[in-house]
């Protein structure tokens, strides 16, 4: 099992950028598919992006496609979410998640390890 800690959240104006980082600890990080989810107040947790264990395949929610980029550095046990052209609708707590399989998923229930989340606020 991996332990996950997110960082990089904050408050930014619409049109701005943030880079979220997820630091993993534990063994065999490179065998985990990784994902970012987010949850806004009063809403269900939703998929943002996921990346396969090798980093060779990534998938994005339609709402962030073309604006967000997920990447990973297996040597450093880190996953990143570069968020550009942020809009107020991106305001949420962002969570990093790990799945001990090569391929990712857009379903939260497919992930067994979660971080504590990092808050992102986009002001208009």
């Amino acid at each position: 099992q991996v332990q996950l800690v997110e960082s990089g959240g904050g408050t930014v104006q619409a049109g701005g950028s943030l880079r979220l980082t997820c630091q993993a600890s534990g063994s065999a990080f490179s065998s985990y598919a990784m994902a970012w989810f987010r949850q806004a107040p009063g809403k269900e947790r939703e998929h943002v992006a996921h990346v396969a264990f090798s980093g060779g395949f990534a998938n994005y929610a339609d709402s962030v496609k073309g604006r967000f980029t997920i990447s990973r550095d297996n040597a450093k046990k880190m996953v990143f979410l570069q968020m550009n052209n942020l809009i107020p609708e991106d305001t949420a707590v962002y969570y990093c998640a790990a799945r001990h399989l090569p391929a990712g998923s857009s379903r939260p229930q497919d992930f067994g390890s979660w971080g504590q989340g990092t808050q992102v606020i986009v002001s208009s």
Side-chain angles (χ1 to χ4, degrees):
Q1 196 107 5
V2 293
Q3 291 75 45
L4 307 171
V5 178
E6 303 95 333
S7 62
T11 301
V12 63
Q13 288 190 332
S17 298
L18 282 174
R19 188 193 195 206
L20 304 185
T21 298
C22 174
Q23 177 69 64
S25 59
S27 60
F29 174 75
S30 60
S31 65
Y32 286 78
M34 300 297 296
W36 288 95
F37 290 82
R38 67 186 182 186
Q39 189 165 17
K43 295 188 176 181
E44 293 188 354
R45 192 165 297 189
E46 66 171 356
H47 170 258
V48 175
H50 65 260
V51 63
F53 73 118
S54 64
F57 177 80
N59 181 271
Y60 298 90
D62 288 342
S63 59
V64 307
K65 204 169 291 184
R67 301 187 297 122
F68 290 12
T69 303
I70 188 171
S71 60
R72 65 188 294 161
D73 184 334
N74 284 345
K76 295 182 178 179
K77 299 183 181 180
M78 299 174 77
V79 182
F80 308 100
L81 185 68
Q82 178 66 44
M83 307 187 293
N84 298 328
N85 195 19
L86 285 159
I87 60 178
E89 291 75 16
D90 294 322
T91 296
V93 177
Y94 283 70
Y95 297 91
C96 178
R99 181 186 193 208
H100 201 184
L101 285 170
S105 169
S106 61
R107 306 191 314 165
Q109 59 267 37
D110 289 340
F111 291 82
S113 298
W114 293 83
Q116 83 290 347
T118 185
Q119 176 75 58
V120 171
I121 298 174
V122 183
S123 61
S124 57

